[in-house]
Amino acid sequence: MLRLVLCLALLDPSGVAEVPRRNIPAREVLTPQGDRLGYAPVPRPYTGTRRLTGVLVGRDRETGRHITCGGTVVRSRSRSLVLTAAHCLRNHGRMLEQLAFLPGYDRGRPVEGVWPVERTWVPSRWRGRGFAPDLLPYDVGLAGVSAKPRGRLEDLTGRGLRPLPTRRGTPLRGLELLGYPAGKQYPGNRMYRCVGDAVEGKERGPGVLVTRNCHAAAGGSGGPALYEGGVAGVVSSSSPLRDDKGFTVLSRLGSRTFTRMYEQADRIMLRSK
């Protein structure tokens, strides 16, 4: 199995270094008009399931820095849940504050409004711990957003993506990764996509998916991996940006840990006014 050597710059765009001329070999780029990381801008205006994806913004109270990740509306009875990466909700074990979700975010415009986060859920392994390779299968989090006078989140955005609980060892071909990469090459305020095939990356635990067709840059964490009309995982991390054979790691939604967390979050937000 693949030995995972990861880049933590995915969380914080300020950590981005200049990338080589091409990180993904041209023959491995599956995205039409894909760049050196395998990504291409999503055509505007955003429509369909892409309107459900946006940015999740929070502040680290210890450093005072604002952190931006991706997130997407996930289907629920409460109509109030956002799927993202666990490390987008807890930075170095610290819960971020002033969290808000901006679905359909486009060049500085919160197209579907700003939704303050009311509650968050991450697997117990992430509480009080920093980022580590053994936590990758559990790098999935949920945020419950407050309702507005006009209704709950899915009342305005439309039905969220249904979670696809694929089992460990299941290869997925034709995934579409969405996110808001930032840095010298990317603006950080526009949605990009990458098409990739993913295979199993770890032998034990719930497992993670790895794609060598996409090399996610900073700001891409928490973005969804779309598959057959649903969401099969979230962008967790990548190999270092100096890697000329870069890859991206995706955390699956197939574990019992995620299922229990999802059901609990939905019950609590269903009772929320």
Side-chain angles (χ1 to χ4, degrees):
M1 289 294 176
L2 184 65
R3 180 174 177 267
L4 301 180
V5 180
L6 304 172
C7 176
L8 305 189
L10 271 174
L11 184 64
D12 185 356
S14 66
V16 180
E18 182 65 35
V19 296
R21 179 167 296 180
R22 178 162 289 280
N23 295 50
I24 303 294
R27 65 182 181 278
E28 299 291 342
V29 175
L30 303 183
T31 313
Q33 300 176 331
D35 62 17
R36 60 192 179 188
L37 301 183
Y39 281 80
V42 171
R44 304 168 61 242
Y46 306 147
T47 60
T49 57
R50 292 168 180 172
R51 290 181 59 205
L52 302 172
T53 297
V55 297
L56 184 73
V57 182
R59 179 180 179 274
D60 188 321
R61 63 180 179 275
E62 185 170 307
T63 65
R65 300 174 76 171
H66 286 82
I67 291 173
T68 301
C69 280
T72 196
V73 184
V74 65
R75 188 176 303 179
S76 64
R77 294 178 302 156
S78 64
R79 310 187 306 283
S80 303
L81 295 182
V82 176
L83 176 71
T84 187
H87 77 262
C88 292
L89 301 174
R90 286 180 176 266
N91 185 26
H92 300 293
R94 299 185 297 271
M95 177 63 70
L96 297 181
E97 60 183 14
Q98 300 175 8
L99 282 162
F101 178 60
L102 288 66
Y105 184 73
D106 183 17
R107 297 188 179 184
R109 293 179 56 245
V111 178
E112 302 293 342
V114 178
W115 297 78
V117 172
E118 184 176 312
R119 294 281 301 270
T120 62
W121 292 265
V122 298
S124 58
R125 295 168 186 249
W126 275 93
R127 296 170 193 163
R129 291 190 62 186
F131 199 96
D134 66 299
L135 296 178
L136 291 178
Y138 308 96
D139 192 11
V140 179
L142 290 166
V145 299
S146 302
K148 293 179 177 290
R150 293 183 294 163
R152 296 187 179 229
L153 180 61
E154 287 187 66
D155 296 330
L156 274 71
T157 63
R159 296 191 73 186
L161 294 166
R162 61 188 177 91
L164 297 175
T166 59
R167 295 184 178 182
R168 184 172 66 84
T170 306
L172 300 179
R173 298 188 177 278
L175 288 166
E176 182 182 54
L177 278 55
L178 298 178
Y180 290 81
K184 295 181 179 179
Q185 182 179 354
Y186 301 104
N189 61 4
R190 183 174 181 182
M191 191 185 304
Y192 279 70
R193 66 187 288 259
C194 183
V195 177
D197 296 334
V199 297
E200 193 64 40
K202 287 177 72 69
E203 294 179 346
R204 298 182 177 85
V208 293
L209 290 162
V210 173
T211 174
R212 289 194 174 277
N213 309 113
C214 307
H215 194 178
S221 289
L226 307 183
Y227 186 70
E228 295 185 348
V231 55
V234 297
V235 174
S236 172
S237 43
S238 73
S239 61
L241 289 181
R242 62 180 178 273
D243 187 356
D244 61 1
K245 295 182 180 179
F247 60 86
T248 294
V249 178
L250 312 171
S251 298
R252 288 182 180 274
L253 304 186
S255 71
R256 283 179 291 180
T257 298
F258 172 76
T259 300
R260 289 194 296 266
M261 184 174 68
Y262 170 76
E263 292 173 349
Q264 180 192 43
D266 198 21
R267 284 195 305 270
I268 292 174
M269 293 307 299
L270 194 58
R271 298 194 296 264
S272 177
K273 295 182 180 180

